[in-house]
Amino acid sequence: QVQLQESGPGLVKPSETLSLTCTVSGGSVSDYHWSWIRQPAGKGLEWIGRLYTSGTISYNPSLKSRVTMSVDTSKNQFSLKLTSVTAADTADYYCARESTSFRYFDSWGQGTLVTVSS
Amino acid sequence: DIQMTQSPSSLSASVGDRVTITCRASQSISSYLNWYQQKPGKAPNLLIYAASTLSGVPSRFSGSASGTDFTLTISSLQPEDSATYYCQQSYSTPRTFGQGTKVEIK
């Protein structure tokens, strides 16, 4: 049973860079596609982007200019960087695995709250 | 981007009621439609994928499709079904979600 765990600072200052890591256990990060999804408090889900270890990466156009995703196969982790953050980036951030068939999110991390505040 | 429009945004129903949630895609997405259940403080949990395939959830949940309209049905609402439900299209990127339907138990 694959498990995902997000980690990173819970507080980021405005204009700085948000950095999160998702550690995958019980499976290999070299398989599947891996996504980041966020959810502001009391609001809906927003897909941030997806990567595959082949190098294929896709970002949400609404965030594309500020987002970078990468993978570290030696640590079985993948990461998210979001630059120039504002209060609007305050949210729960989830990492998730996307199946290769019908491309549903079948495993999720528990989520980590990132607050943007000075 | 493909827009997913969910309705209603909330509903209140009694235990045993039949509940229906609808999701409409702004363009054809074939059967690339998934449903998730989210309880407060928890990550979303996959309920149904490919419009109608259950993912290890009770059989009171079902999904159906008609063109660009998709439906999640709970045949007999149970107390543990109190949650917010989201549809999501996986036809193309960016992946997009409906705005959610909050289901409350009367």
Side-chain angles (χ1 to χ4, degrees), chain A residues 11-16 18 38-41 43 66 82-93 113-118:
Chain A
L11 181 63
V12 181
K13 289 182 168 57
S15 80
E16 296 191 343
L18 177 159
R38 71 180 183 177
Q39 184 175 38
K43 297 188 178 181
R66 299 193 292 131
L82 182 65
T83 62
S84 305
V85 297
T86 69
D89 296 309
T90 294
D92 286 317
Y93 285 76
L113 174 62
V114 178
T115 301
V116 179
S117 175
S118 56

Side-chain angles (χ1 to χ4, degrees), chain A residues 27-47:
Chain A
S28 173
V29 75
S30 297
D31 303 324
Y32 296 95
H33 288 92
W34 304 93
S35 284
W36 288 98
I37 296 160
R38 71 180 183 177
Q39 184 175 38
K43 297 188 178 181
L45 298 158
E46 180 181 32
W47 180 81

Side-chain angles (χ1 to χ4, degrees), chain A residues 11-75:
Chain A
L11 181 63
V12 181
K13 289 182 168 57
S15 80
E16 296 191 343
T17 296
L18 177 159
S19 296
L20 295 175
T21 296
C22 183
T23 300
V24 179
S25 58
S28 173
V29 75
S30 297
D31 303 324
Y32 296 95
H33 288 92
W34 304 93
S35 284
W36 288 98
I37 296 160
R38 71 180 183 177
Q39 184 175 38
K43 297 188 178 181
L45 298 158
E46 180 181 32
W47 180 81
I48 298 171
R50 178 190 74 175
L51 62 77
Y52 187 57
T53 50
S54 66
T56 304
I57 299 178
S58 179
Y59 298 135
N60 193 322
S62 67
L63 299 168
K64 188 174 183 177
S65 64
R66 299 193 292 131
V67 173
T68 302
M69 295 176 61
S70 61
V71 62
D72 186 338
T73 55
S74 68
K75 294 182 179 180

Side-chain angles (χ1 to χ4, degrees), chain B residues 11-16 19 77-83 103-106:
Chain B
L11 65 90
S12 181
S14 300
V15 172
V19 168
L77 190 67
Q78 299 301 304
E80 60 267 32
D81 300 335
S82 178
V103 174
E104 295 181 329
I105 309 295
K106 283 183 184 176

Side-chain angles (χ1 to χ4, degrees), chain B residues 5 7-8 12-13 17 22 37 40 49 51 55 58 83 94 99-100 106:
Chain B
T5 304
S7 61
S12 181
D17 282 353
T22 298
Q37 178 192 66
Y49 64 91
S55 177
Q99 69 268 41
K106 283 183 184 176

Side-chain angles (χ1 to χ4, degrees), chain A residues 39 50 98 102-105, chain B residues 36 38 49 86 90 95:
Chain A
Q39 184 175 38
R50 178 190 74 175
E98 185 179 271
F102 274 88
R103 310 192 287 252
Y104 46 86
F105 299 115
Chain B
Y36 301 87
Q38 186 179 32
Y49 64 91
Y86 293 94
S90 54
R95 304 290 191 240

